């Protein structure tokens, strides 16, 4: 049972991202790195969902009927393309300003998306469930990783998926994601990331296992400054993504006997 009175929300982090909310859909603003990353991560998400749920990736609406939760959805950069692919999407963010921006943009695009200014803990307490949960560039901003993982994992249906993308805790990540992106290139405001909040893949895998999820795929994501694009990589030393699946619920011996 998740107690929503315990929270993983870092108010300082929420205030920081709220101040940037107006630039969510500006491909040249503070979120330009996410705009560049979005096609790469969206292609991976679509590919894996279609594979696991046996959908035709070439169909017009390959994700039709699947319910997806995007935790920390921001202005809806992932929510909107997922709706175009046929999914029923709930986007949540602790910043009410982010949600307001997301709703405006969805209305302008003629899309029906359920956006809520709330937290994973509150959703979990209400008993919400989903086929897929997206946990993208969020976990490095929460105050309590174990509580956050407990909340989001509890909402995944049997055989469901969770995608997690975050930043590794390495000297290379410190140099590129903090020094480079914040201080040198000014892609992000200074202070956006805190090095000690970065997680090694092994640490994240332990949290997933404790929540009843198994990692079924992993990959790194690297930025190529020469073609200005992100690419999949085996190098997980900076940005990486894990795909986890809820353990299948096997019937008990008694239940198996009844079915015979």
């Amino acid at each position: 049972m998740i107690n929503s009175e315990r929270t993983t929300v870092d108010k300082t982090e929420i205030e920081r991202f709220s101040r940037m909310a107006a630039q969510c859909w500006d491909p040249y603003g503070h979120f330009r790195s996410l705009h560049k990353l979005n096609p790469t991560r969206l292609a991976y998400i679509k590919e894996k969902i279609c594979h696991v749920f046996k959908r035709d990736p070439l169909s017009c609406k390959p994700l039709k009927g699947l319910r997806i939760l995007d935790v920390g959805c921001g202005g809806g950069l992932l929510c909107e393309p997922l709706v175009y692919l046929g999914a029923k999407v709930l986007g949540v963010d602790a910043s009410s300003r982010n949600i307001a921006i997301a709703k405006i943009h969805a209305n302008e695009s003629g899309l029906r998306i359920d956006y809520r200014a709330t937290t994973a803990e509150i959703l979990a307490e209400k008993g919400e469930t989903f086929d897929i949960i997206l946990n993208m560039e969020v976990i490095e901003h929460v105050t309590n990783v174990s509580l956050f993982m407990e909340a989001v994992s509890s909402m995944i249906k049997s055989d469901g998926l969770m995608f997690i993308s975050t930043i590794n805790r390495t000297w290379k990540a410190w140099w590129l994601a903090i020094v480079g992106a914040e201080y040198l290139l000014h892609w992000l405001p200074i202070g956006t990331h805190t090095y000690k909040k970065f997680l090694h893949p092994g640490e994240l895998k332990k949290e997933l296992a404790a929540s009843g999820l198994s990692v079924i795929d992993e990959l790194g994501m690297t930025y190529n400054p020469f073609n200005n694009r992100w690419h999949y990589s085996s190098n997980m030393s900076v940005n990486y993504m894990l795909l986890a699946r809820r353990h299948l619920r096997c019937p008990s011996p008694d239940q198996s006997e009844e079915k015979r």
Side-chain angles (χ1 to χ4, degrees), residues 82 101 123 129 207 216-217:
L82 290 170
I101 295 293
L123 283 181
T129 59
E207 294 289 347
I216 61 173
D217 195 35

Side-chain angles (χ1 to χ4, degrees), residues 184-231:
L184 300 179
L185 298 175
H186 303 291
W187 284 355
L188 296 167
I190 293 173
T192 297
H193 291 111
T194 302
Y195 178 73
K196 67 180 181 179
K197 286 188 173 183
F198 293 168
L199 292 170
H200 291 303
E203 295 170 332
L204 195 46
K205 288 176 183 179
K206 287 182 180 179
E207 294 289 347
L208 287 164
S211 299
L213 301 177
S214 299
V215 173
I216 61 173
D217 195 35
E218 60 184 48
L219 78 162
M221 293 177 289
T222 58
Y223 174 72
N224 186 332
F226 297 105
N227 62 12
N228 196 25
R229 291 181 180 179
W230 287 84
H231 301 273

Side-chain angles (χ1 to χ4, degrees), residues 146-190:
S146 295
L147 177 60
F148 177 73
M149 290 303 299
E150 179 187 355
V152 292
S153 299
S154 70
M155 294 185 282
I156 300 177
K157 295 179 182 178
S158 179
D159 211 24
L161 300 174
M162 177 155 59
F163 294 83
I164 305 180
S165 63
T166 188
I167 303 174
N168 204 340
R169 195 172 67 254
T170 63
W171 69 267
K172 187 176 180 181
W174 171 80
W175 175 251
L176 293 177
I178 296 179
V179 177
E182 297 180 20
Y183 287 85
L184 300 179
L185 298 175
H186 303 291
W187 284 355
L188 296 167
I190 293 173

Side-chain angles (χ1 to χ4, degrees), residues 63-254:
L63 307 189
K64 185 176 180 179
L66 295 175
R67 191 176 189 222
I68 298 179
L69 169 65
D70 185 6
V71 181
C73 65
L77 293 183
L78 272 175
C79 292
E80 292 199 9
L82 290 170
V83 170
Y84 282 120
L85 292 172
K88 296 173 65 176
V89 178
L90 169 58
V92 302
D93 200 289
S95 166
S96 57
R97 192 174 180 190
N98 280 346
I99 292 299
I101 295 293
K103 286 181 177 179
I104 291 171
H105 198 275
N107 289 335
E108 291 175 346
S109 303
L111 298 174
R112 297 182 63 181
I113 302 176
D114 185 1
Y115 283 120
R116 305 180 200 174
T118 188
T119 66
E121 299 88 75
I122 292 175
L123 283 181
E125 190 176 58
K126 291 181 178 179
E128 295 269 13
T129 59
F130 303 88
D131 299 294
I132 299 112
I133 293 181
L134 304 182
N135 185 348
M136 316 298 283
E137 290 80 44
V138 174
I139 200 165
E140 68 268 24
H141 299 289
V142 304
T143 60
N144 186 324
V145 172
S146 295
L147 177 60
F148 177 73
M149 290 303 299
E150 179 187 355
V152 292
S153 299
S154 70
M155 294 185 282
I156 300 177
K157 295 179 182 178
S158 179
D159 211 24
L161 300 174
M162 177 155 59
F163 294 83
I164 305 180
S165 63
T166 188
I167 303 174
N168 204 340
R169 195 172 67 254
T170 63
W171 69 267
K172 187 176 180 181
W174 171 80
W175 175 251
L176 293 177
I178 296 179
V179 177
E182 297 180 20
Y183 287 85
L184 300 179
L185 298 175
H186 303 291
W187 284 355
L188 296 167
I190 293 173
T192 297
H193 291 111
T194 302
Y195 178 73
K196 67 180 181 179
K197 286 188 173 183
F198 293 168
L199 292 170
H200 291 303
E203 295 170 332
L204 195 46
K205 288 176 183 179
K206 287 182 180 179
E207 294 289 347
L208 287 164
S211 299
L213 301 177
S214 299
V215 173
I216 61 173
D217 195 35
E218 60 184 48
L219 78 162
M221 293 177 289
T222 58
Y223 174 72
N224 186 332
F226 297 105
N227 62 12
N228 196 25
R229 291 181 180 179
W230 287 84
H231 301 273
Y232 302 144
S233 170
S234 59
N235 186 344
M236 298 172 61
S237 61
V238 183
N239 296 85
Y240 69 93
M241 190 182 305
L242 301 181
L243 172 58
R245 193 175 189 181
R246 166 71 63 198
H247 297 317
L248 294 174
R249 294 175 183 170
C250 299
S252 66
D254 292 340

Side-chain angles (χ1 to χ4, degrees), residues 1-16:
M1 181 68 175
I2 306 296
N3 182 356
S4 61
E5 293 181 358
R6 296 175 62 200
T7 182
T8 64
V9 172
D10 186 324
K11 291 183 178 179
T12 302
E13 297 272 14
I14 298 306
E15 289 171 1
R16 180 182 296 112

